[in-house]
Amino acid sequence: MADFSRLIAATADTIAAHAEELTALDQAIGDGDHGLNMKRGFEAVRAETEGFAAKPLPEALKAVGAKLVMTVGGASGPLFGTLFLALGKEMPVEPDRAGLATALGKAIEAVAARGKSQVGQKTMLDVLQPVYEALAQGKTAEEIADAADKAADATVPMKALRGRASFLGERSVGHMDAGARSTALLVRAVAETVEGH
Ligand code: ADP
Ligand code: MG
């Protein structure tokens, strides 16, 4: 497993580099705050890198989740927060691939419960689920990152049934979901960091 501080740097870097893109996506079918929300959250995590990286992996993930809940805001703050909190709760201290997949599967269930949402509703879950499947099938880090990008692209023709975009009904069709895109960015950052180690 890559050093936790490298994972924090990689995820915060990609969110910062794509904040304007995430904002533009959210402007099209939401309220345009997703880039700033995510950047605020991941910079707050970055600021605590030293303390978080000193913890065992499950505790570090829980600390990240709690920080995201407090700092991201919007609908996505509690959802990304829940993702990391649940990952921390389910993750072994030194996870192998199977342990990682099991933890992600349980974390996805926690996000779905928190969001009262499910796959197919044009949300972050539409990226998380294929990532879980690729992980469980033993795909490489690169393949998992590619699956995440493809899954984010696949939200374009979907009609939003959860979140702000759902208020637009049919008019949400033809745009990528912002949370799906940010999830794919996070997955690629983690995959590349783990792979490069
Ligand atoms: P807000 O919608 O409050 O402005 P953000 O713009 O930060 O919050 O986040 C929007 C993203 O959150 C959406 O693109 C979607 O992926 C995700 N999202 C919103 N509601 C839900 C939900 N109920 N379940 C899962 N994901 C959701
Ligand atoms: Mg928004």
Side-chain angles (χ1 to χ4, degrees), residues 6-7 18 30-31 68 75 115 117 129 146 163 168 184:
R6 290 168 57 98
L7 288 170
H18 295 88
D31 57 355
L68 293 177
S117 45
Q129 183 63 26
D146 289 346
L168 296 178

Side-chain angles (χ1 to χ4, degrees), residues 26 29-35 37-38 72-77 79-80 111-112 114-118 121-125 162-165 176-183:
D26 194 33
I29 52 172
D31 57 355
D33 62 352
H34 190 62
N37 286 349
M38 293 294 279
V72 173
S76 63
L79 296 168
F80 280 101
V111 173
R114 170 56 95 117
K116 298 187 173 59
S117 45
Q118 60 189 48
Q121 296 181 325
K122 196 179 178 109
T123 71
M124 56 195 280
L125 289 174
R162 283 293 178 276
R164 250 172 233 288
M176 190 185 299
D177 175 62
R181 175 64 176 144
S182 57
T183 303

